[in-house]
Amino acid sequence: METDLRRTWTEIDLDHLLYNYHALRRRVGMGVKFLGVVKADAYGHGAVQVARTLQDAGADYLAVSSLDEARELRSHGITMPVLILGHTPPEQVSELIRLGITQAVSAKAKAEEYSAAAEKCGGTLKIHIKVDTGMSRLGFLCAGEHFEGGVARIAHSCALPALDAEGIFTHFAVSDEPGAENEACTRAQFQLFCDVIDALKAQGRTFALRHCANSGAVAYYPDMWLDMVRPGILLYGLTEMAEELGLKSVMSLKTCVSTIKIYEPGAAISYGRTYKTDRRSRVGVLPIGYADGFFRTFSNRFQVLTADGPALVLGRICMDMCMIDLTGCPNVGVGDEIEIFGARNSVNAMARMAETIPYEIICAVSKRVPRLYYRGGQVVDRKLWITE
Ligand SMILES: *Cc1c(COP(=O)(O)O)cnc(C)c1O
């Protein structure tokens, strides 16, 4: 039996994804390669469908966080280059080689383990060197006193017999944030990255793919695009940067009205009795809750969109349901569609209300929510976790 798609669902607009891809492509020009970041199930949009769309559109590379994510792409017909940004245990190197996956390498010890493992299985592992220029996460430490040692460790790693160092990259901490201090930090990170590349070049080590531009740098730092850009959130049309660039949000989260009831003044709504009706109220029950990714922090604050205008969430959001005020929306009836976020109710504004970033809101849409893929206004594909 199929899931009831009319409970709560997302609509993924693949036309918008393609629009964003082509707009970003035009922005960086054909001389710059394009890596689409599809980690975390393509930020909740569905990695296979997004990757397939990008592959067909001519993107050059994809990035994921883990071998499991890479394997999912390969087992669904994605043949283009894929880079794993996170760590993969050396025991899995033969699998990386078999699947033709590129691995980020962030330390000399890991490079040695990877090379030994690749040698053992008689193959060569394609790698991209990750340089820590100030994000203080993964990567060869090269700042300040670590410069010479860092460069030497990278050179040593690239020269290992069973590794093929195709690329080198770094990641920015504040390229998407305005202000002179953030710009200075980003420029310092970029300068250090260039210095590392130059020092390696002086030793005869060059890379086909030098990359550092996440969405922030794609939007604000054209001089940092190098050989390849690496945007994630811009592809999905979110953040103020996407608004400035005229991109389109790809995901909408929708639900419907399951019940409507009338309460007299003084009725307490939901757990904790945090909302009491102050008038005769028409209250709708929505089959969406925090288990679907509709955070409890939106209780009593967030307005969902009905065909008859916005409607406030009343009382606490429950695990599987929440209540909304339909008193001012007399034309909304049982079964009517409700937009939690999407074209009209922006994720960006929702993220500001929750004091978080749009990334967290879209990644949190839970796996029980079906994804419906649209092209030309028609559903062309579906992704359902619960199919029996
Ligand atoms: C997630 C990630 C990106 C994409 O970041 P956006 O801000 O979504 O563009 C790029 N590079 C690395 C290393 C990442 O982890």
Side-chain angles (χ1 to χ4, degrees):
M1 206 195 87
E2 251 184 19
T3 54
D4 174 11
L5 298 175
R6 298 296 301 178
R7 179 188 174 265
T8 287
W9 68 98
T10 63
E11 295 175 1
I12 311 290
D13 192 327
L14 296 175
D15 293 328
H16 285 189
L17 177 68
L18 277 173
Y19 178 91
N20 296 341
Y21 168 75
H22 288 299
L24 294 170
R25 251 299 191 214
R26 267 197 309 281
R27 181 173 179 77
V28 299
M30 286 311 286
V32 176
K33 288 191 157 47
F34 193 103
L35 177 153
V37 179
V38 297
K39 65 192 182 195
D41 202 29
Y43 294 34
H45 294 65
V48 169
Q49 286 79 359
V50 169
R52 202 174 277 150
T53 305
L54 293 177
Q55 176 166 281
D56 292 348
D60 301 286
Y61 235 109
L62 299 170
V64 296
S65 328
S66 66
L67 178 56
D68 282 345
E69 291 184 351
R71 210 185 260 131
E72 184 192 17
L73 297 181
R74 285 286 182 261
S75 66
H76 288 85
I78 305 300
T79 53
M80 63 189 288
V82 174
L83 170 65
I84 295 181
L85 298 166
H87 176 63
T88 303
E91 303 82 67
Q92 307 276 17
V93 163
S94 62
E95 180 79 344
L96 289 173
I97 294 172
R98 190 179 71 76
L99 294 172
I101 304 289
T102 310
Q103 174 62 47
V105 172
S106 54
K108 181 177 153 211
K110 283 185 183 162
E112 287 171 345
E113 287 175 354
Y114 286 152
S115 182
E119 254 184 313
K120 207 186 276 175
C121 68
T124 302
L125 178 65
K126 197 175 276 191
I127 61 160
H128 285 202
I129 293 290
K130 173 86 185 274
V131 185
D132 181 358
T133 55
M135 174 75 179
S136 307
R137 196 169 67 177
L138 287 182
F140 287 82
L141 197 51
C142 289
E145 55 175 333
H146 302 289
F147 186 80
E148 308 243 301
V151 168
R153 284 186 284 276
I154 293 171
H156 167 87
S157 301
C158 294
L160 289 167
L163 301 183
D164 167 18
E166 176 193 47
I168 187 164
F169 71 111
T170 193
H171 194 42
F172 294 128
V174 286
S175 61
D176 56 340
E177 293 185 38
E181 193 180 325
N182 291 323
E183 180 174 348
C185 286
T186 303
R187 295 213 173 275
Q189 278 198 269
F190 183 65
Q191 189 56 53
L192 177 56
F193 185 51
C194 292
D195 290 346
V196 169
I197 290 170
D198 288 346
L200 287 161
K201 194 173 178 186
Q203 305 180 18
R205 172 61 60 186
T206 55
F207 300 88
L209 296 175
R210 302 160 301 157
H211 51 106
C212 59
N214 58 356
S215 289
V218 169
Y220 300 133
Y221 299 96
D223 54 316
M224 300 184 190
W225 295 342
L226 300 177
D227 301 311
M228 181 160 79
V229 293
R230 216 173 57 224
I233 200 73
L234 284 182
L235 270 176
Y236 307 107
L238 297 176
T239 66
E240 280 79 20
M241 299 182 287
E243 284 173 11
E244 287 166 27
L245 294 175
L247 304 177
K248 303 179 179 187
S249 77
V250 174
M251 185 195 289
S252 309
L253 177 60
K254 297 195 170 167
T255 186
C256 60
V257 179
S258 54
T259 304
I260 296 178
K261 290 194 289 187
I262 310 290
Y263 294 98
E264 296 305 321
I269 308 229
S270 193
Y271 289 120
R273 301 166 56 87
T274 58
Y275 181 88
K276 292 205 177 70
T277 53
D278 55 4
R279 55 182 169 168
R280 198 157 193 269
S281 297
R282 190 165 177 263
V283 175
V285 182
L286 304 182
I288 183 169
Y290 59 78
D292 299 290
F294 193 29
F295 299 161
R296 213 164 154 273
T297 188
F298 293 114
S299 301
N300 286 312
R301 303 163 74 192
F302 187 72
Q303 294 189 318
V304 303
L305 263 187
T306 75
D308 213 1
L312 184 68
V313 173
L314 299 182
R316 293 231 174 105
I317 293 171
C318 309
M319 187 181 289
D320 305 322
M321 288 178 250
C322 66
M323 275 60 82
I324 58 169
D325 186 4
L326 291 175
T327 314
C329 308
N331 299 314
V332 175
V334 169
D336 284 6
E337 185 173 303
I338 301 288
E339 179 179 303
I340 304 296
F341 64 71
R344 293 169 304 153
N345 228 12
S346 105
V347 181
N348 297 340
M350 196 174 176
R352 283 192 293 274
M353 177 180 279
E355 291 179 56
T356 184
I357 50 177
Y359 302 68
E360 192 179 21
I361 307 258
I362 52 173
C363 286
V365 175
S366 79
K367 64 183 185 301
R368 81 171 173 191
V369 179
R371 270 67 169 169
L372 306 186
Y373 296 89
Y374 281 78
R375 249 178 143 158
Q378 301 290 317
V379 177
V380 293
D381 198 2
R382 296 162 165 193
K383 181 176 183 182
L384 319 169
W385 266 265
I386 304 160
T387 51
E388 293 278 316

